[in-house]
């Protein structure tokens, strides 16, 4: 038995580096992307970009195609599984921890916005939800609350996962073409995907601050204006009427 085990190790050692990478890499890519679809804390975009960098430096002409197909299939399968678990929570009286986790990640404003867009553009919204960082869960939750059948969701999600896999694979190809060493391209691709993921959150935060500041200034201005009108109306009874008509017809 020990001789057989030694023979297996020797055979594995005789494999070319690319064959070993492919034998380990494609199953790992599938598992990580599918897990990232089920547990939305795994950076699946960075994983796909990194796999694309490694495939770009391989001599196999189909390496990039395999990365694309494996990533798209794993993402679609993970989305379908998460949606099915969410449907079970919708139909159950006590709900489910998967549905509760989805609700906890979405603010009421983003959910309302996703439901409005879903009513008019179903397939395009699903595609954009995959491409926009942190956009997948609000749209999926909107689909669950609108009781979209699993088959219809999967039909739209197939196009979304294909577009998503192609986008992050292009990021990996860009990183692989700029640097001679694969690890350098992986670092560049991961950094770019992290930057892309951080920009929408930063933009929403800046928009929230910009929306709060004018509202605070407007309320202060209205209070000052109201105080001035009441002060002008104090000396004479007819002044208030003239001020009002003057405001309506400048």
């Amino acid at each position: 038995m020990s001789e057989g085990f030694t023979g297996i190790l020797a055979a594995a050692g005789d494999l070319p580096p690319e064959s070993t990478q492919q034998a380990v890499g494609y199953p790992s890519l599938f598992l990580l992307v599918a897990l990232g679809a089920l547990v939305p804390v795994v950076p699946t975009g960075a994983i796909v970009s990194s796999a694309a960098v490694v495939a770009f430096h391989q001599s196999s002409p189909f390496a990039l195609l395999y990365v694309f197909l494996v990533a798209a299939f794993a993402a679609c399968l993970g989305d379908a599984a998460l949606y099915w678990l969410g449907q079970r929570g919708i139909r159950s009286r006590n709900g489910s921890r998967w549905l509760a986790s989805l609700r906890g990640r979405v603010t009421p404003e983003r959910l309302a916005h996703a439901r409005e867009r879903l009513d008019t553009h179903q397939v395009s919204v699903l595609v954009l939800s995959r491409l926009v960082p942190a956009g997948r869960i609000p749209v999926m939750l909107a689909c669950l609350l609108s009781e979209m059948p699993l088959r219809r969701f999967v039909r739209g999600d197939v196009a979304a996962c294909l577009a998503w896999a192609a986008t992050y694979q292009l990021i990996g190809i860009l990183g692989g073409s700029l640097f001679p060493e694969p690890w350098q391209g992986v670092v560049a691709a991961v950094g770019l995907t992290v930057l892309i993921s951080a920009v929408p959150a930063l933009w929403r935060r800046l928009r929230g601050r910009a929306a709060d500041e004018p509202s605070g200034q407007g309320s202060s201005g209205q209070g000052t204006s109201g105080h001035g009108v009441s002060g002008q109306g104090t000396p004479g009874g007819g002044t208030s009427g003239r001020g009002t008509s003057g405001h309506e017809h400048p």
Side-chain angles (χ1 to χ4, degrees):
M1 183 174 178
S2 60
E3 293 180 357
F5 184 70
T6 304
I8 293 174
L9 292 178
D14 293 338
L15 289 175
E18 289 189 8
S19 299
T20 305
Q21 292 174 6
Q22 293 172 2
V24 177
Y26 294 138
S28 300
L29 175 64
F30 177 84
L31 292 175
L32 289 174
V33 173
L35 178 63
L38 284 171
V39 184
V41 294
V42 179
T44 52
I47 293 171
V48 175
S49 297
S50 301
V53 171
V54 176
F56 180 81
H57 287 278
Q58 291 180 352
S59 60
S60 173
F62 301 106
L64 287 172
L65 177 62
Y66 293 153
V67 169
F68 170 73
L69 294 177
V70 170
F73 179 67
C76 188
L77 186 63
D79 285 351
L82 183 61
Y83 194 80
W84 178 75
L85 291 171
Q87 280 186 324
R88 291 188 60 186
I90 291 289
R91 296 167 184 169
S92 175
R93 292 182 178 180
N94 299 326
S96 67
R97 65 185 186 93
W98 293 100
L99 183 60
S101 176
L102 292 179
R103 288 181 180 273
R105 293 179 178 273
V106 181
T107 61
E109 293 78 10
R110 295 187 65 190
L111 179 59
H113 185 54
R115 299 189 73 172
E116 291 177 1
R117 291 183 299 165
L118 188 66
D119 292 337
T120 54
H121 308 285
Q122 290 188 353
V123 176
S124 61
V125 169
L126 284 173
V127 174
L128 290 176
S129 70
R130 258 289 179 181
L131 296 178
V132 176
R136 181 174 66 102
I137 299 302
V139 173
M140 181 180 290
L141 185 57
C143 293
L144 287 169
L145 296 178
S146 63
E147 298 183 355
M148 178 184 292
L150 177 61
R151 184 176 300 178
R152 186 186 303 174
F153 173 80
V154 171
R155 283 202 301 265
D157 193 60
V158 167
C161 292
L162 290 174
W164 171 81
T167 300
Y168 282 97
Q169 186 170 20
L170 287 176
I171 295 175
I173 293 174
L174 177 63
S177 62
L178 291 177
F179 299 95
E181 296 294 332
W183 69 267
Q184 295 173 336
V186 168
V187 172
V190 170
L192 186 57
T193 53
V194 170
L195 179 63
I196 292 174
S197 301
V199 165
L202 180 61
W203 175 250
R204 285 194 298 267
R205 183 175 298 179
L206 292 176
R207 284 182 59 188
R209 290 181 180 178
D212 291 341
E213 289 178 359
S215 62
Q217 293 176 358
S219 61
S220 175
Q222 290 176 1
T224 305
S225 175
H227 179 72
V229 170
S230 63
Q232 291 175 1
T234 304
T239 307
S240 175
R242 289 197 304 269
T244 305
S245 61
H247 178 73
E248 292 177 353
H249 305 284

